[in-house]
Amino acid sequence: ALVSLGLVLLTGVGGLTSFGQAAFVGIGAYTTAWLTLNTGMSPWLTLFVGLGLTAGSALLVGFITLRMSGHYLPLATIAWGLALYYLMGNLDALGKYDGLLGLKSLSIPWMNGSIDIGQGRLFFVLTWAILIAGAVALLNLLDSRPGRAIRSLKGGSQMAEAMGISTFRYKVTIFIIAALFASVSGWLLAHFQRTVNPSAFGLKMGIEYLFMAVIGGVGHVWGAIVGAALI
């Protein structure tokens, strides 16, 4: 639902089709997996490192591909999505197609110990809290002045640019926001499963995430949750 939430902004509101969001899920997942296993860094800190790497990757990819239009843009997202998928599966440092095993579960300090919130009901509460916060933040964004500029993207660029709106800048911005939602999803996935491998980040999942957004109502924020529930 988090990934689909980003696609509501990117595709439903902004009119940009991306089949590569699963790759950004993978960046978030692999970042936290590698850092927690190899450096002992807290998973709560790796979340922000993953967001930083995801934002940088999305900025680079968006700057290159978002100048395209028509069917060239979806084809470009398929291309870089597949490229990142095969990169994850062929790097020795990432365990190739076997992936990384033995991740820490999420926990919070409590008195003289800690409480495991990476499984069961507490993880359920954490996930829903993040999802609802993301949905509310997205609604507030779309109700703001930049949000009105973002809504204008779907209708074409000429009128928006005539009003002084930099359409390319807003396209890159929503592309990065959608990628950040995906990265958080990957972070949660990694610490829930406690293992990461490339199978969850291929083109098939990218299509499925987009299908969730469409089924739930691609132009509606809460539709992301409905679509994920139906799928």
Side-chain angles (χ1 to χ4, degrees):
L2 274 170
V3 185
S4 183
L5 196 62
L7 285 169
V8 166
L9 174 65
L10 185 66
T11 304
V13 179
L16 304 173
T17 303
S18 174
F19 293 100
Q21 293 305 103
F24 293 126
V25 180
I27 292 175
Y30 269 106
T31 298
T32 189
W34 192 90
L35 288 174
T36 53
L37 290 174
N38 291 279
T39 69
M41 186 180 293
S42 166
W44 301 101
L45 295 178
T46 63
L47 169 62
F48 297 101
V49 178
L51 290 173
L53 289 176
T54 302
S57 302
L59 177 62
L60 176 62
V61 171
F63 190 80
I64 296 171
T65 61
L66 292 178
R67 298 181 185 276
M68 302 177 183
S69 59
H71 62 275
Y72 294 106
L73 177 59
L75 289 174
T77 63
I78 291 173
W80 59 254
L82 287 173
L84 286 175
Y85 168 73
Y86 285 114
L87 178 65
M88 294 171 189
N90 285 280
L91 286 178
D92 289 327
L94 300 182
K96 294 192 172 181
Y97 286 98
D98 292 328
L100 300 173
L101 308 174
L103 276 70
K104 295 179 181 178
S105 182
L106 293 174
S107 62
I108 54 175
W110 182 258
M111 296 186 179
N112 295 324
S114 61
I115 300 176
D116 186 347
I117 61 170
Q119 302 290 326
R121 292 181 179 178
L122 291 177
F123 182 81
F124 183 81
V125 171
L126 172 66
T127 304
W128 271 102
I130 293 174
L131 178 59
I132 297 299
V136 171
L138 192 54
L139 285 170
N140 287 331
L141 171 63
L142 293 176
D143 285 339
S144 66
R145 184 174 180 180
R148 291 192 290 274
I150 292 169
R151 289 181 187 274
S152 72
L153 298 176
K154 195 173 182 179
S157 60
Q158 291 185 346
M159 179 62 74
E161 289 175 354
M163 298 297 174
I165 296 171
S166 174
T167 56
F168 180 70
R169 186 184 71 177
Y170 279 107
K171 286 179 181 179
V172 173
T173 298
I174 63 175
F175 189 75
I176 293 174
I177 293 172
L180 293 177
F181 277 118
S183 182
V184 175
S185 175
W187 176 77
L188 288 168
L189 175 67
H191 290 287
F192 178 71
Q193 293 187 337
R194 302 184 69 178
T195 180
V196 174
N197 65 71
S199 63
F201 314 123
L203 179 60
K204 174 182 175 294
M205 289 305 302
I207 296 172
E208 189 168 318
Y209 290 134
L210 188 58
F211 193 52
M212 289 179 190
V214 172
I215 289 294
V218 73
H220 305 281
V221 171
W222 299 111
I225 301 174
V226 174
L230 292 174
I231 296 298

